Amino acid sequence: MARLRALLTLAVLALVAGGSCAFEFEEATIDSILVGFKNGSLTSTALVRYYLDQITRLNPLLHAVIEVNPDALRQAARADAERSTGHHRAAAGLHGVPLLIKDLIATRDRLNTTAGSLALLGSVVRRDAGVVARLRRAGAVVLGKANLPEWANFRSARSAGGLHGWSARGGQSRDPYVLSANLCGSSTGSSIAAAANMAAVTLRTETMDSILCPASLNSVVGIKPTVGLTSRSGVIPFSSRQDTVGPICRTVADAVHVLDAIVGYDALDAAATKAASKYIPQDGYKQFLKIEGLNGKRIGIPNGFFDFTDGTERQIVYKQHLNTMKQYGATVIENLDIANLSGILNITGSGLLNVLTAEFKFNLNNYLSNLSYSPVHSLAEIIAFNNAHPVEEKLKEYGQQVLLMSENTTGIGTQERTIIRQLEELSENGIVKLMTEHRLDAILTPDSEATPLIAYIGLPGIVVPAGYDEQGVPFSICYSGLKGYEPRLIEMAYAFEQTTKARKPPMFKN
Ligand SMILES: *[C@@H]1O[C@H](CO)[C@@H](O)[C@H](O)[C@H]1NC(C)=O
Ligand SMILES: *[C@@H]1O[C@H](CO)[C@@H](O)[C@H](O)[C@H]1NC(C)=O
Ligand SMILES: *[C@@H]1O[C@H](CO)[C@@H](O)[C@H](O)[C@H]1NC(C)=O
Ligand SMILES: *[C@@H]1O[C@H](CO)[C@@H](O)[C@H](O)[C@H]1NC(C)=O
Ligand SMILES: *[C@@H]1O[C@H](CO)[C@@H](O)[C@H](O)[C@H]1NC(C)=O
Ligand SMILES: *[C@@H]1O[C@H](CO)[C@@H](O)[C@H](O)[C@H]1NC(C)=O
């Protein structure tokens, strides 16, 4: 019997080594991974080893990963054992699939949760973040934490630290397509890791642009869910009005697999997750991966976004894409005006920055006070830590202006509430009114430029790879909509992806 088993094993190994039936690791999708598990060409252990090798090989250049989970291989071995013994857990949606998590999302394991900051190194969380608990129940293997240059971003103006893609702990991130390319506001680890096949799927958070922007610049799919669809408990916060957690993956289908696993009510983020739970379709989101998803959709093109010079790659490709959408049955309505667009885009003039800094202080101090251990207990102590470690925290290069502004605030008072009402009005009179009047299923914009249109009142958006410019820098297209529009946004995004097949693996150009 033992001999027979050994012979069988050899035969299987020979088959696998034979080539045609070997699992294709590069650009693997969740669907192909699950088929591989089933037909015996793949184990979670082999998959985790592949991604760990990719991380070892690429991270010195890309700095996408801040920490690797020392228990990842053990979790993979457990998933393999459960699968081979027919354990019921093996039927869970992401069973054995390796996942990378943004370093802003708490995990109660040997991984640190630090927002890329040295000040939070060694802090201990009480429990997994709500979304991580769900992912563990779905059987995902936690591969590690993704780098987060955003903390630097908080420290200076929106355009400073983040543009450099740097964090004190994780180092300098790079775009795998064009290494010298400008990184956007908060371009970071998760999207780079997804693009460069350093993880099967990744998870990120967005307050304003942190999913949509890096996903679009790294030629991957990012879903920014309606605020409250996914729990923010255990996520290092910025603004509870705007923060949301979503997937960044190589394909729309992969992102939807992850979305299915993370949405839902959480008692530790009760108000928001309860309010949004009505949007969650009973049979999940996978049913909306429809090849004919563009057919019959009404897509609005607002003025002021697609003004690219004639003859440039972007202008030509975007025009082709609009024609493709029409060809596949969408009604494309151009020349639409969003009321007070300049007021919406002006984040200082609208008062947004004042409100965000007030919310940040309050929410961060609350997060810190909920830790079971932390070297720092308040925003004031983080500021003091940075002052005491100016070299490591690159204080001279980036300063900590936003932290100082935030510390200077006194919470959400009358003035802040007035501003929040004005921001809501800007959005209601802007995107909401336009979409309602024209009965639109989505507004289409390039890259992540829709961000201010949808951020203030927690609307959803999906970016999908659309092409590459003359230098090889990726660009993308974004479908955004009203609260709970995920099903139709997924239909359009999936059909667009399947008909255009724009994504190519990264080229690592200089
Ligand atoms: C198993 O499925 C994968 C797709 O996930 C495929 O690449 C491989 O060839 C299949 N192997 C066998 C032995 O059928
Ligand atoms: C977490 O941080 C500590 C330092 O406080 C370090 O020793 C440990 O290796 C880190 N964990 C991982 C998984 O890297
Ligand atoms: C446009 O928005 C700005 C806020 O950025 C606001 O101050 C202004 O009153 C708005 N204008 C109109 C006409 O609504
Ligand atoms: C933004 O609003 C402020 C205050 O209303 C104004 O001073 C500034 O010129 C505006 N910026 C732009 C780019 O319109
Ligand atoms: C901890 O978190 C909960 C939920 O966000 C919050 O209600 C509470 O005020 C926080 N602070 C402490 C000290 O428990
Ligand atoms: C803090 O507030 C005071 C008084 O309102 C102001 O003078 C000072 O410039 C503010 N500092 C920062 C860093 O915003």
Side-chain angles (χ1 to χ4, degrees):
M1 194 59 199
R3 222 185 88 124
L4 182 61
R5 205 174 312 139
L7 277 174
L8 277 175
T9 309
L10 275 178
V12 169
L13 281 177
L15 269 176
V16 169
S20 64
C21 301
F23 185 80
E24 185 57 60
F25 286 98
E26 202 191 342
E27 298 290 292
T29 62
I30 293 183
D31 284 331
S32 77
I33 287 169
L34 296 180
V35 172
F37 287 160
K38 212 170 226 169
N39 73 14
S41 67
L42 180 69
T43 60
S44 301
T45 305
L47 196 57
V48 166
R49 274 194 211 288
Y50 168 76
Y51 291 125
L52 291 179
D53 283 350
Q54 286 286 94
I55 292 169
T56 306
R57 202 163 65 79
L58 296 174
N59 211 45
L61 178 67
L62 300 178
H63 292 277
V65 177
I66 196 164
E67 275 185 16
V68 163
N69 186 359
D71 294 320
L73 278 168
R74 221 186 328 267
Q75 287 176 14
R78 181 176 151 198
D80 289 334
E82 285 172 348
R83 198 176 310 113
S84 69
T85 56
H87 192 283
H88 68 92
R89 242 172 59 95
L94 294 174
H95 189 262
V97 175
L99 161 94
L100 196 69
I101 297 172
K102 183 180 183 180
D103 185 32
L104 210 55
I105 302 174
T107 52
R108 174 122 177 106
D109 52 16
R110 290 206 275 167
L111 292 160
N112 296 290
T113 304
T114 67
S117 166
L118 289 165
L120 279 173
L121 191 56
S123 65
V124 180
V125 299
R126 281 188 203 283
R127 57 182 76 81
D128 280 335
V131 287
V132 172
R134 283 184 179 274
L135 286 163
R136 291 200 204 272
R137 284 201 292 279
V141 170
V142 176
L143 194 62
K145 288 272 172 81
N147 193 15
L148 174 73
E150 229 155 342
W151 197 254
N153 205 19
F154 296 172
R155 299 206 285 116
S156 38
R158 235 178 82 72
S159 55
L163 263 188
H164 298 88
W166 175 85
S167 85
R169 288 193 60 222
Q172 176 69 60
S173 295
R174 282 200 175 77
D175 180 338
Y177 285 87
V178 179
L179 297 170
S180 58
N182 208 350
L183 296 170
C184 74
S186 59
S187 176
T188 55
S190 310
S191 47
I192 294 167
N197 284 267
M198 295 159 85
V201 292
T202 76
L203 199 64
R204 269 187 76 75
T205 64
E206 161 146 348
T207 303
M208 221 174 132
D209 227 15
S210 306
I211 290 175
L212 300 180
C213 185
S216 75
L217 277 187
N218 286 288
S219 212
V220 281
V221 174
I223 301 182
K224 176 206 180 244
T226 302
V227 166
L229 207 57
T230 52
S231 164
R232 291 83 50 83
S233 79
V235 175
I236 298 178
F238 207 105
S239 156
S240 40
R241 274 181 315 107
Q242 293 188 199
D243 291 354
T244 184
V245 182
I248 292 189
C249 302
R250 287 179 293 275
T251 67
V252 175
D254 282 359
V256 166
H257 276 279
V258 177
L259 186 68
D260 263 339
I262 58 176
V263 294
Y265 177 74
D266 180 356
L268 294 172
D269 186 12
T273 55
K274 182 155 185 280
S277 60
K278 62 173 175 286
Y279 300 127
I280 302 172
Q282 197 175 4
D283 296 318
Y285 290 99
K286 286 195 267 294
Q287 57 181 309
F288 303 107
L289 298 170
K290 290 185 192 159
I291 198 83
E292 73 282 12
L294 282 162
N295 194 22
K297 295 292 190 303
R298 293 173 61 82
I299 300 172
I301 315 285
N303 287 324
F305 290 95
F306 282 100
D307 303 328
F308 299 103
T309 312
D310 274 355
T312 57
E313 199 61 28
R314 278 172 178 256
Q315 188 264 338
I316 295 167
V317 172
Y318 279 134
K319 200 167 164 202
Q320 280 169 0
H321 287 333
L322 290 188
N323 286 333
T324 304
M325 289 180 215
K326 291 177 195 161
Q327 201 186 317
Y328 281 84
T331 304
V332 176
I333 303 151
E334 298 185 67
N335 286 320
L336 297 177
D337 279 321
I338 293 182
N340 202 358
L341 184 60
S342 60
I344 294 170
L345 299 179
N346 187 343
I347 63 167
T348 42
S350 67
L352 177 70
L353 215 52
N354 297 350
V355 170
L356 279 180
T357 46
E359 291 172 315
F360 178 52
K361 177 182 175 183
F362 175 81
N363 292 326
L364 182 69
N365 285 341
N366 186 42
Y367 172 87
L368 294 173
S369 68
N370 262 335
L371 294 169
S372 58
Y373 171 78
S374 179
V376 288
H377 304 92
S378 64
L379 177 58
E381 288 186 26
I382 290 177
I383 291 170
F385 178 94
N386 291 339
N387 286 331
H389 301 84
V391 177
E392 297 92 321
E393 292 287 341
K394 288 206 184 184
L395 216 50
K396 214 167 92 193
E397 289 89 335
Y398 301 125
Q400 49 179 343
Q401 190 57 27
V402 171
L403 297 194
L404 292 171
M405 273 170 64
S406 188
E407 181 56 24
N408 220 3
T409 61
T410 52
I412 303 292
T414 321
Q415 203 192 338
E416 287 74 17
R417 272 191 277 273
T418 305
I419 294 173
I420 290 172
R421 255 199 317 279
Q422 282 164 359
L423 291 171
E424 286 166 358
E425 260 166 43
L426 275 175
S427 307
E428 293 292 340
N429 296 334
I431 183 169
V432 175
K433 188 155 168 245
L434 184 72
M435 289 197 65
T436 313
E437 271 181 10
H438 291 271
R439 291 177 292 114
L440 300 179
D441 295 294
I443 279 198
L444 194 76
T445 45
D447 298 320
S448 64
E449 308 218 342
T451 295
L453 304 180
I454 61 176
Y456 307 156
I457 53 170
L459 304 181
I462 304 185
V463 290
V464 188
Y468 303 86
D469 73 8
E470 288 79 355
Q471 279 72 47
V473 176
F475 57 86
S476 77
I477 214 147
C478 180
Y479 294 90
S480 34
L482 303 181
K483 283 185 188 171
Y485 270 28
E486 281 80 2
R488 50 187 115 181
L489 299 182
I490 289 167
E491 286 181 346
M492 288 177 271
Y494 181 72
F496 174 80
E497 174 198 53
Q498 295 302 308
T499 50
T500 57
K501 295 221 182 290
R503 176 178 155 76
K504 293 182 278 194
M507 287 80 94
F508 300 96
K509 277 168 62 171
N510 271 309

